[in-house]
């Protein structure tokens, strides 16, 4: 059986590096724990944990090259030279990752300093996904068919005059499929393909990587400062670090309703737009447009980045509604990187606990706009709902 390994330390989503940069600045002593959540109830074959362990242990050899460092310096000037020096010396520590298997059930946890462990989530999921298909000898469609399907999709998006991003690293079928898809999008997408969130693939395409921050940024701030001010403190700290760069705000860590209550005129003007990642996209667009109008801001000057389980049909519906009302782009993940004739995996790795300096471990929660996407213990979820006065 062939092994699976990563090809670059930059084979990761861009927002992991932007958040790592901010964490080093603001929370260098914070510790965190993450856990693998098997939403799809996938059954893992015998000895899968051993295969994953081998792949994880091999990540210790990944290093930032001089060429990769120059790419980041040239394309991401808001990343401090000191951070790029840090990343050049960074080394994955496989002891931060615990992997266990009980019959067909896989358990993966991560623990350590946040500034270090933040890079594990995406490549771990990519490895789990690729190993899952490989370990069962599941046969995908051939490369020519992958190219044909991807070309057809991007040509459809072009005909709709839409801007598309590729967000598929975490649940990709394999590195080779994502690379092929990304190359095809770049070859045939022209100005309609803005790029990829995968920094390694962005470098291969000579495009700027795409992304800002993720739910864990807001989840940590809730544990540090409290649920009521989590959104405001997250946005304030983000703007303090990036001074207006990386200006797409994620809205649904504690429901979009609560987010917009704290997305005041300062933030609404400073951030270029918002990202929708759960719930009804049309209802979200309505809320967003109404929010900007309430702030005295022309919605057509702002953008929504839609990123929740998108496919062509869903994008068409969203685009028909938003056109002429607000700018839009679409971050498409699994439908690009794992549309190969096999069922796509449904899994996440989420922040579960945090430990601020001189504090004890504390559970964290995420209250998505979709009830079945909530994460955290029942007790902490109930507490968050009570404090925020929400009922979903």
């Amino acid at each position: 059986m062939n092994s699976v390994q990563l090809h670059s330390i930059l084979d990761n989503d861009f927002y992991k590096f932007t958040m790592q940069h901010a964490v080093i600045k603001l929370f260098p002593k914070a510790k965190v724990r993450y856990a693998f959540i098997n939403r799809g109830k996938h059954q893992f074959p015998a000895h899968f944990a051993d295969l994953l362990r081998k792949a994880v242990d091999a990540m210790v050899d990944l290093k930032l090259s001089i060429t990769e460092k120059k790419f980041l310096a040239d394309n991401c000037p808001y990343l401090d030279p000191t951070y790029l020096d840090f990343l050049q010396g960074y080394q994955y520590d496989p002891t931060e990752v615990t992997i266990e298997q009980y019959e067909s059930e896989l358990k993966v946890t991560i623990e350590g300093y946040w500034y270090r462990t933040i890079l594990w989530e995406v490549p771990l999921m990519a490895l789990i996904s690729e190993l899952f298909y490989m370990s069962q000898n599941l046969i995908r469609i051939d490369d020519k068919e992958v190219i044909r399907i991807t070309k057809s999709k991007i040509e459809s998006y072009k005909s709709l005059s839409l801007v598309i991003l590729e967000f598929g690293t975490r649940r990709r079928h394999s590195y080779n499929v994502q690379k092929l898809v990304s190359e095809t999008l770049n070859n045939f997408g022209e100005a309609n393909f803005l790029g990829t969130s995968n920094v390694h693939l962005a470098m291969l395409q000579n495009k700027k990587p795409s992304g800002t921050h993720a739910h864990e940024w807001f989840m940590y701030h809730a544990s540090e400062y409290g649920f009521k001010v989590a959104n405001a403190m997250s946005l304030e700290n983000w703007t303090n670090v990036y001074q207006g760069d990386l200006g797409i705000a994620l809205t649904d860590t504690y429901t979009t309703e609560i987010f917009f209550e704290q997305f005041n005129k300062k933030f609404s003007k400073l951030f270029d737009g918002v990202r929708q990642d759960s719930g009804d996209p049309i209802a979200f667009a309505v809320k967003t447009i109404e929010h900007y109008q309430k702030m005295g801001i022309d919605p057509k000057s702002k953008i929504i980045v839609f990123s929740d389980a998108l496919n062509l049909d869903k994008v068409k519906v969203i685009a028909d509604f938003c056109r002429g009302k607000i700018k839009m782009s679409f971050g498409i993940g699994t439908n690009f990187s794992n549309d190969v004739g096999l069922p796509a995996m449904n899994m996440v790795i989420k922040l579960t606990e945090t430990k601020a300096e001189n504090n004890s471990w504390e559970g964290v929660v995420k209250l998505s706009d979709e009830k079945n996407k909530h994460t955290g213990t029942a007790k902490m979820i109930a507490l968050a709902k009570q404090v925020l006065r929400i009922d979903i």
Side-chain angles (χ1 to χ4, degrees):
M1 184 178 293
N2 296 325
S3 60
V4 173
Q5 62 182 28
L6 298 181
H7 293 73
S8 166
I9 199 168
L10 295 185
D11 188 2
N12 206 329
D13 279 341
F14 185 48
Y15 64 22
K16 284 295 178 175
F17 298 105
T18 58
M19 288 191 298
Q20 184 183 52
H21 174 234
V23 169
I24 289 171
K25 280 176 170 286
L26 302 177
F27 308 108
K29 295 185 178 180
K31 292 184 177 181
V32 295
R33 290 171 177 157
Y34 300 83
F36 171 72
I37 303 172
N38 184 4
R39 284 178 175 167
K41 310 296 183 187
H42 305 289
Q43 302 293 299
F44 291 90
H47 308 299
F48 185 89
D50 297 332
L51 295 173
L52 183 58
R53 181 79 262 170
K54 182 180 179 182
V56 167
D57 288 347
M59 289 173 65
V60 73
D61 296 324
L62 295 173
K63 299 284 186 182
L64 187 75
S65 70
I66 296 296
T67 303
E68 290 171 331
K69 184 179 181 182
K70 185 177 186 304
F71 170 78
L72 291 175
D74 291 345
N75 289 277
C76 314
Y78 38 77
L79 297 177
D80 293 340
T82 50
Y83 170 69
L84 298 183
D85 286 345
F86 161 83
L87 193 59
Q88 190 175 21
Y90 177 88
Q91 187 176 39
Y92 278 106
D93 179 0
T95 66
E96 295 167 345
V97 182
T98 301
I99 303 168
E100 299 171 307
Q101 186 170 355
Y102 306 95
E103 297 182 345
S104 62
E105 181 184 348
L106 181 69
K107 182 180 179 182
V108 181
T109 55
I110 307 160
E111 180 177 331
Y113 283 107
W114 192 20
Y115 78 88
R116 289 193 47 80
T117 56
I118 198 167
L119 292 189
W120 279 113
E121 175 195 348
V122 175
L124 261 177
M125 290 177 65
L127 288 171
I128 290 170
S129 185
E130 184 162 1
L131 283 167
F132 181 78
Y133 298 109
M134 187 202 72
S135 63
Q136 300 174 84
N137 295 313
L138 299 174
I139 307 301
R140 67 171 173 88
I141 57 177
D142 63 26
D143 287 359
K144 285 185 179 179
E145 186 66 2
V146 171
I147 292 171
R148 186 195 68 78
I149 290 172
T150 306
K151 182 183 176 186
S152 174
K153 287 177 183 176
I154 192 59
E155 287 178 345
S156 295
Y157 291 125
K158 281 170 64 177
S159 71
L160 297 169
S161 300
L162 299 177
V163 174
I164 303 299
L165 303 114
E166 188 270 309
F167 280 5
T169 304
R170 65 188 58 228
R171 297 182 193 93
R172 67 192 183 194
H173 171 272
S174 59
Y175 169 81
N176 288 336
V177 166
Q178 189 186 14
K179 184 171 182 287
L180 192 61
V181 165
S182 197
E183 288 171 349
T184 305
L185 293 170
N186 196 40
N187 290 338
F188 298 101
E190 299 173 349
N192 298 86
F193 177 56
L194 196 59
T196 174
S197 61
N198 185 296
V199 187
H200 166 64
L201 296 179
M203 178 178 160
L204 294 182
Q205 298 168 6
N206 196 29
K207 284 181 176 285
K208 293 181 186 296
S210 301
T212 53
H213 47 237
H215 296 107
E216 69 181 285
W217 181 252
F218 295 83
M219 292 163 77
Y220 180 85
H221 281 75
S223 69
E224 178 93 2
Y225 303 108
F227 291 115
K228 281 193 172 182
V229 296
N231 286 313
M233 290 302 300
S234 298
L235 297 172
E236 188 68 36
N237 277 334
W238 195 257
T239 56
N240 287 341
V241 172
Y242 288 110
Q243 297 294 306
D245 282 316
L246 303 175
I248 300 297
L250 182 61
T251 61
D252 70 331
T253 309
Y254 300 107
T255 75
T256 294
E257 201 75 42
I258 298 297
F259 175 87
F260 278 133
E261 288 177 9
Q262 298 189 2
F263 199 52
N264 59 26
K265 181 171 281 193
K266 169 188 166 181
F267 294 137
S268 297
K269 286 194 168 187
L270 182 60
F271 280 84
D272 301 316
V274 294
R275 178 159 73 93
Q276 188 263 346
D277 198 50
S278 64
D280 182 338
I282 303 302
F284 178 90
V286 171
K287 282 181 185 177
T288 303
I289 292 165
E290 289 177 349
H291 173 79
Y292 283 126
Q293 290 171 336
K294 181 181 175 183
M295 292 288 139
I297 298 168
D298 181 1
K300 293 191 290 293
S301 69
K302 298 295 181 177
I303 189 168
I304 300 175
V305 180
F306 295 92
S307 63
D308 180 27
L310 298 177
N311 56 38
L312 181 60
D313 290 339
K314 192 172 179 180
V315 168
K316 282 181 178 177
V317 172
I318 298 169
D320 285 344
F321 178 82
C322 291
R323 203 179 301 277
K325 301 184 183 81
I326 192 166
K327 291 187 286 187
M328 56 187 152
S329 66
F330 299 87
I332 300 173
T334 306
N335 186 252
F336 273 151
S337 66
N338 204 348
D339 186 8
V340 295
L342 298 169
M345 297 192 74
N346 184 5
M347 58 172 176
V348 293
I349 291 177
K350 284 295 179 185
L351 192 69
T352 57
E353 293 177 89
T354 64
K355 185 178 184 299
E357 186 179 2
N358 300 321
N359 282 2
S360 57
W361 285 101
E362 180 178 322
V364 295
V365 301
K366 170 176 169 267
L367 301 180
S368 166
D369 287 334
E370 289 180 31
K371 194 170 185 178
N372 62 359
K373 280 192 173 184
H374 292 352
T375 61
T377 65
K379 182 179 179 181
M380 286 300 291
I381 289 173
L383 177 62
K385 286 183 175 181
Q386 180 182 5
V387 170
L388 295 173
R389 297 179 182 177
I390 59 179
D391 183 26
I392 63 165

